[in-house]
């Protein structure tokens, strides 16, 4: 995520050095706050921690999913479709996304705890 943030800053030539530092500081403080929140959740009693941890993980996963679906994929799709020689770019992008989803499902299935 830090690499993506740096790439976004670098790709916009109209951003001042001050705005770069503000963006990096906000990003760094977000990481620190996330670490502190995780440490607090792990150290609290198990009944509260077992219900709060999935919520926090869902928020983190949802944030990454939102950024991917609403920002990264549309931008890459627009960039690839500007060139008329790349007619199959949409199918290739769909195939890549589907393969990644399938791979993550397989990994999740293989690593699942079989408590039953």
């Amino acid at each position: 995520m830090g690499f993506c943030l740096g790439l976004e800053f670098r790709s916009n030539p109209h951003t001042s050095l001050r705005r770069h530092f503000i963006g990096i500081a906000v990003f760094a403080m977000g990481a620190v706050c996330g670490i502190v929140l995780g440490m607090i959740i792990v150290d609290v009693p198990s009944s509260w921690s077992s219900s709060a941890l999935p919520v926090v993980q869902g928020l983190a996963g949802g944030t990454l999913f939102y950024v991917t679906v609403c920002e990264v994929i549309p931008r890459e799709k627009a960039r690839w479709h500007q060139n008329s020689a790349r007619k199959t770019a949409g199918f290739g992008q769909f195939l890549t996304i589907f393969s990644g989803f399938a791979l993550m499902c397989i990994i999740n299935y293989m690593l699942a705890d079989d408590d039953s």
Side-chain angles (χ1 to χ4, degrees):
M1 287 176 36
F3 176 76
C4 290
L5 179 68
L7 193 61
E8 285 294 321
F9 283 147
R10 184 72 178 125
S11 67
N12 188 357
H14 302 296
T15 305
S16 67
L17 188 60
R18 181 174 181 239
R19 287 190 180 212
H20 284 268
F21 281 120
I22 290 171
I24 292 169
V26 168
F27 177 74
M29 289 309 297
V32 170
C33 291
I35 291 169
V36 169
L37 182 64
M39 290 172 63
I40 290 171
I41 289 175
V42 168
D43 288 339
V44 296
S46 140
S47 62
W48 189 80
S49 177
S50 64
S51 60
L53 193 58
V55 171
V56 173
Q57 288 177 339
L59 286 171
T63 301
L64 292 174
F65 185 68
Y66 171 79
V67 168
T68 302
V69 170
C70 294
E71 293 186 16
V72 175
I73 292 174
R75 180 179 11 169
E76 290 301 313
K77 188 173 182 178
R79 187 177 68 117
W80 277 84
H81 287 285
Q82 288 174 351
N83 188 348
S84 62
R86 297 178 180 160
K87 297 279 186 191
T88 60
F91 181 71
Q93 290 168 343
F94 169 75
L95 190 62
T96 303
I97 291 169
F98 183 77
S99 300
F101 181 78
L103 179 65
M104 292 306 293
C105 286
I106 291 169
I107 291 172
N108 190 28
Y109 177 74
M110 298 299 262
L111 296 178
D113 292 335
D114 293 329
D115 291 338
S116 54

